Amino acid sequence: MSESPSVFPSFPKFSNWKGISEYFPVQKESVWLNYCGTTPVSTYAIQMMNVYLEEYAKIGIFTPNFSEPYIKKEIRGYLSEILHCDPTEIGIVHNTSEGMNFYSHSIQIPKGKRILVLENEYPSNVYPWEHWQNKGVTLGFVKVGNTPNEFLENLKLELEKKDVFILSISPVHWCTGVVFDMETVSALCERYGTKLVIDGSQAVGHIPLNFSKIKVAFCAFAAWKWLLGPLGLGVIYISKEESKGFQLVFKGQASVVNDSNYFPYRDEWKPAAEQFEQSTINFNDWIYFFASLKMLSTLGFSRVQERIYEVAGMLKDMLHELGFTLESDAFPDVKTGILAITNHKDPKKFQPEAIQAHLKQHGIITAVRLGRLRMAPHIGIEEEHVNRVRTHLQTYLQK
């Protein structure tokens, strides 16, 4: 990455993780276990925003340390490191739905073909495809199954029909935490001539994704989950191969080259990834996201992923000790940071909404999805937080 201006706040590397929760104020009064949903701001992002706003207040858009080209270059650089792709293949949007819709409305799919998405997929990867149903294209769902291998068998059966034009899936299921083998998925898609699209919101920053090894045409994801970014900011990836001849159905002020020169009107479009950045952006969000990525990069992206698994492992052991069963028990060798609690040794005690409400009364934030109690930790969770969750679960079970 580029050398950082000296005005940027520094972040410690944390040789071990003790004390890192101090950088996440939400963890002082509560235990936030919904990082796969939304992520509260870190003090580091607050510091970076303060430095930027002070500079912006004095100089306006001419801020020397936070120029738009520099911040965009840094964001793209960090994301390309995570995804193992070229920075020019990355664009910045508002959310997954926007990115998916832009892409879905800008491509061509022959009549009689199918678009395949996951069973119980998040709406952002379903609704953007629905308009194709009025154009002679079928929208279908592939069963997830109980294990990653069972999903692959289900997927193969669908692809063998040789009519699936696009497979659009999440590498990690948002409700169950099941992680799919994307290298195998990519190979199956290549074998049967299917274009692979990814909703990366539950994957990017959580599991390794190497776009130099898996052939992905397009990907969209939210910034505010595993990457600890701001609500209302998203990212798209469009491969160089997919970019050939690609043109968005929408055209905005920033869609064309030399967009800062308003006259004469222009017909020459920017490269594909930049076409998704239609006009004036919310630059405050860019600074927030830049700070979060810089923090994660300082810690090491792969090291952060391993820490997520480590903390999830602490929670998993604790839940097993208390008699709970988890979705991931069916695939113990697959790493995931999303823990979906499915039952208890005393089935009468497993009332997900009641457990969620009890925990929330004590400042422990979880979610209920598909009849499962879902927990998703991040680096801000330390052993003391796991112990706090244990204490309040024990209280619930003793009722």
Side-chain angles (χ1 to χ4, degrees), residues 100-111:
M100 284 291 188
N101 266 299
F102 279 2
Y103 176 77
S104 176
H105 282 271
S106 301
I107 60 174
Q108 299 297 318
I109 302 177
K111 287 184 178 180

Side-chain angles (χ1 to χ4, degrees), residues 248-371:
L248 276 185
V249 68
F250 304 105
K251 187 177 184 180
Q253 170 266 321
S255 301
V256 297
V257 297
N258 298 323
D259 58 283
S260 59
N261 293 321
Y262 305 125
F263 297 106
Y265 301 130
R266 290 171 170 77
D267 293 324
E268 185 182 353
W269 287 64
K270 287 181 179 178
E274 293 187 75
Q275 291 177 24
F276 288 79
E277 299 163 9
Q278 292 278 293
S279 190
T280 308
I281 44 85
N282 185 341
F283 198 55
N284 292 340
D285 284 350
W286 282 31
I287 302 299
Y288 182 160
F289 194 31
F290 162 66
S292 296
L293 291 171
K294 185 174 178 62
M295 176 180 68
L296 294 172
S297 176
T298 300
L299 295 168
F301 293 122
S302 60
R303 184 167 168 254
V304 167
Q305 290 172 0
E306 287 300 322
R307 177 58 177 176
I308 291 169
Y309 302 145
E310 184 180 357
V311 177
M314 293 182 203
L315 286 164
K316 186 174 183 178
D317 290 344
M318 176 270 291
L319 291 166
H320 280 155
E321 289 170 12
L322 295 180
F324 290 97
T325 56
L326 289 80
E327 191 90 26
S328 57
D329 293 342
F331 44 94
D333 296 328
V334 178
K335 293 180 178 180
T336 180
I338 298 177
L339 303 178
I341 305 169
T342 55
N343 215 329
H344 187 264
K345 63 182 180 182
D346 179 358
K348 295 178 183 177
K349 294 289 186 181
F350 186 65
Q351 304 294 329
E353 288 82 3
I355 301 172
Q356 180 194 32
H358 173 81
L359 293 176
K360 189 175 182 181
Q361 286 180 342
H362 299 281
I364 299 167
I365 307 304
T366 60
V368 175
R369 298 288 183 268
L370 288 180

Side-chain angles (χ1 to χ4, degrees), residues 21-79:
S21 61
E22 294 297 315
Y23 284 84
F24 296 88
V26 71
Q27 302 298 166
K28 292 181 180 179
E29 302 299 328
S30 64
V31 181
W32 194 270
L33 290 175
N34 194 29
Y35 281 92
C36 71
T38 60
T39 52
V41 66
S42 67
T43 57
Y44 183 70
I46 294 171
Q47 285 178 295
M48 187 73 77
M49 288 292 294
N50 285 340
V51 173
Y52 162 67
L53 289 172
E54 287 286 344
E55 194 169 289
Y56 186 82
K58 296 174 183 176
I59 311 173
I61 62 170
F62 304 108
T63 53
N65 296 301
F66 295 91
S67 70
E68 182 181 328
Y70 175 78
I71 296 300
K72 182 174 180 177
K73 179 175 177 290
E74 292 294 291
I75 290 173
R76 281 174 139 191
Y78 288 130
L79 292 171

